[in-house]
Amino acid sequence: MKTAVDSRRLRALCIRELERATNLGHTLLSRESIITNLRKGDAEREESLNVTGDLLAVAEEVSLTRCKVVEMADGSPAYQLGRYASAGDLVRSTVLKRFDAERHQIEADWSALIANKLGALPIDDDERVREEQACTEKAAALKEVAESRLSVLIGPAGTGKTTLLSILCRHTNITDQEWFCSLLR
């Protein structure tokens, strides 16, 4: 390599920075973050590199083949390892297909199934009213999860998410979908 900022060396260093970022849970880094990291240097190499946005832009065109250039929300460029870009594309296309697909039609008395699972309501009137309201909300959530092609069920610990999903997985229209129910076993 002819210089410290040879495009092949920049490619290797960018990939190294992106791999390090994945260990911290990040699937992309802004161009500015990579420049900052490379300028700081590290224990593996004593010298820091005088990397600029222009040098990286040239390297993008010439040798950043395992990286994908993506745009951040603010419009600035960022880099992502190709395998994460491909995985993101796959997830995105799958989600969009499900999002646009026709809803499932599942006939069920979700309230009765919930009541059967949870048992008798409290005797105290105030507690009973709160529990009835909670069961109504759970039945509506369960109906939505069952009929949607794409759902996210969130809530604090102890609100019944696992219970609802176990009811869903035991429904006859769902039990044939082994790939889904195996997640909860």
Side-chain angles (χ1 to χ4, degrees):
M1 291 184 213
K2 298 174 185 168
T3 68
V5 290
D6 180 90
S7 64
R8 294 166 294 181
R9 186 169 187 201
L10 281 176
R11 175 186 62 209
L13 292 171
C14 285
I15 290 170
R16 183 194 67 191
E17 291 302 316
L18 290 168
E19 291 289 355
R20 285 180 176 171
T22 63
N23 292 334
L24 299 173
H26 307 291
T27 60
L28 62 91
L29 283 178
S30 68
R31 181 188 287 162
E32 197 56 43
S33 293
I34 290 179
I35 290 169
T36 300
N37 292 347
L38 294 177
R39 284 183 176 174
K40 281 194 286 189
D42 62 23
E44 292 176 16
R45 54 172 215 287
E46 294 176 9
E47 89 282 359
S48 60
L49 298 174
N50 188 19
V51 178
T52 65
D54 290 340
L55 286 172
L56 278 179
V58 169
E60 287 170 16
E61 296 174 16
V62 176
S63 67
L64 287 181
T65 55
R66 288 183 46 202
C67 301
K68 181 177 180 181
V69 181
V70 295
E71 189 174 297
M72 303 278 281
D74 66 1
S76 64
Y79 300 109
Q80 186 172 40
L81 291 169
R83 67 181 183 267
Y84 292 111
S86 298
D89 291 343
L90 176 62
V91 169
R92 190 174 302 101
S93 69
T94 302
V95 166
L96 289 175
K97 284 178 191 173
R98 288 180 178 267
F99 187 75
D100 293 335
E102 187 176 318
R103 292 175 62 87
H104 295 290
Q105 298 300 315
I106 298 178
E107 294 299 323
D109 185 349
W110 298 116
S111 295
L113 293 168
I114 291 168
N116 185 46
K117 177 76 174 179
L118 299 178
L121 292 172
I123 296 172
D124 180 69
D125 286 340
D126 289 340
E127 286 182 43
R128 184 180 194 84
V129 169
R130 280 195 301 271
E131 192 61 32
E132 286 172 347
Q133 178 62 34
C135 286
T136 301
E137 292 171 5
K138 287 175 181 159
L142 198 47
K143 178 177 173 49
E144 183 61 28
V145 169
E147 294 182 0
S148 295
R149 293 289 182 147
L150 177 68
S151 299
V152 178
L153 182 62
I154 60 172
T159 56
K161 298 177 299 293
T162 302
T163 301
L164 290 184
L165 292 177
S166 70
I167 293 168
L168 178 69
C169 285
R170 285 180 180 80
H171 192 277
T172 55
N173 288 11
I174 306 297
T175 55
D176 292 339
Q177 305 300 319
E178 182 61 33
W179 60 268
F180 177 75
C181 293
S182 66
L183 297 173
L184 298 176
R185 289 190 186 131

